[in-house]
Amino acid sequence: MALTVPPPRSSPDAGPGPAALARWYERKLGWATEGRAPVRLLTGLRFDVLELPAEAGHALLRRPVRTGPVLLSGGRMGLLVAAGGADELPGLLDWLEWGPIALDLTAVGAGGRITAPSPRGAGSPGAAVWLRPPEPRHTPGPALPALADFGSSGGDAPDLVRLVDAAATECHRVRLSRARAGLRNGSPADQPLAFS
């Protein structure tokens, strides 16, 4: 009896290129795209993205903090959060007393774009990939939490607050680690430790 190998399943990457990838995001997830190469996902409509150094992001993923979809693109990690989260970031950092510290934590919100990772994880080295892929037709988080809700319901902080605090902590740890490494090597650190 001869064994036959079934043909590979079709994927967006096996199709005509950027158009197939854009269609996959639009049909499976309902996300708006720019279909040119490279395909970009539009932020601020269904989700925003918190961006941080990959080293800090990997440490964050080891913590008991819930996240939505997570992508890696080069040396940066992106955490998808509910639309509007980017606007909340500066205020949350101030409220959590991280405001005066120069963290490498940014957000992409309304009017922004991020490179669309391949849903299959394939791509060229350094290409954007999903570490925690999105679920079809599922948006990151139901709604933005109100800061007034912090401490209610048995002391549980809203997810966005916890995520931002954990991300800021890991960004700060990476910053301090780089500063220590720079001092050990006899060279100035990448970033000064002074408050900005």
Side-chain angles (χ1 to χ4, degrees):
M1 174 157 81
L3 294 175
T4 59
V5 177
R9 293 182 180 164
S10 65
S11 72
D13 297 328
L21 183 60
R23 275 193 309 275
W24 186 88
Y25 274 104
E26 291 165 357
R27 291 180 183 163
K28 295 287 185 184
L29 300 175
W31 293 357
T33 66
E34 280 186 346
R36 297 182 295 264
V39 174
R40 302 218 182 259
L41 302 174
L42 306 182
T43 58
L45 303 173
R46 303 280 299 214
F47 59 87
D48 286 352
V49 180
L50 297 180
E51 288 188 341
L52 63 162
E55 183 180 353
H58 286 294
L60 173 72
L61 294 180
R62 290 189 294 271
R63 297 180 87 180
V65 177
R66 289 187 302 174
T67 69
V70 178
L71 64 95
L72 180 65
S73 183
R76 303 287 291 172
M77 190 173 288
L79 310 168
L80 274 62
V81 297
D87 294 335
E88 298 294 324
L89 181 62
L92 281 176
L93 289 172
D94 285 342
W95 185 71
L96 292 165
E97 299 182 359
W98 286 108
I101 300 171
L103 300 170
D104 193 6
L105 177 62
T106 61
V108 182
R113 287 148 180 75
I114 60 168
T115 301
S118 168
R120 304 279 186 237
S124 61
V129 296
W130 288 112
L131 298 179
R132 292 185 179 168
E135 297 175 20
R137 294 287 178 179
H138 187 271
T139 57
L144 287 174
L147 288 178
D149 294 339
F150 182 73
S152 64
S153 304
D156 288 340
D159 289 344
L160 185 61
V161 173
R162 287 183 183 187
L163 184 61
V164 167
D165 192 36
T169 298
E170 296 305 336
C171 285
H172 188 56
R173 285 181 179 160
V174 165
R175 183 172 173 258
L176 291 175
S177 175
R178 289 177 181 167
R180 281 191 298 271
L183 291 174
R184 278 194 304 269
N185 295 332
S187 63
D190 291 336
Q191 297 179 1
L193 290 177
F195 288 84
S196 55

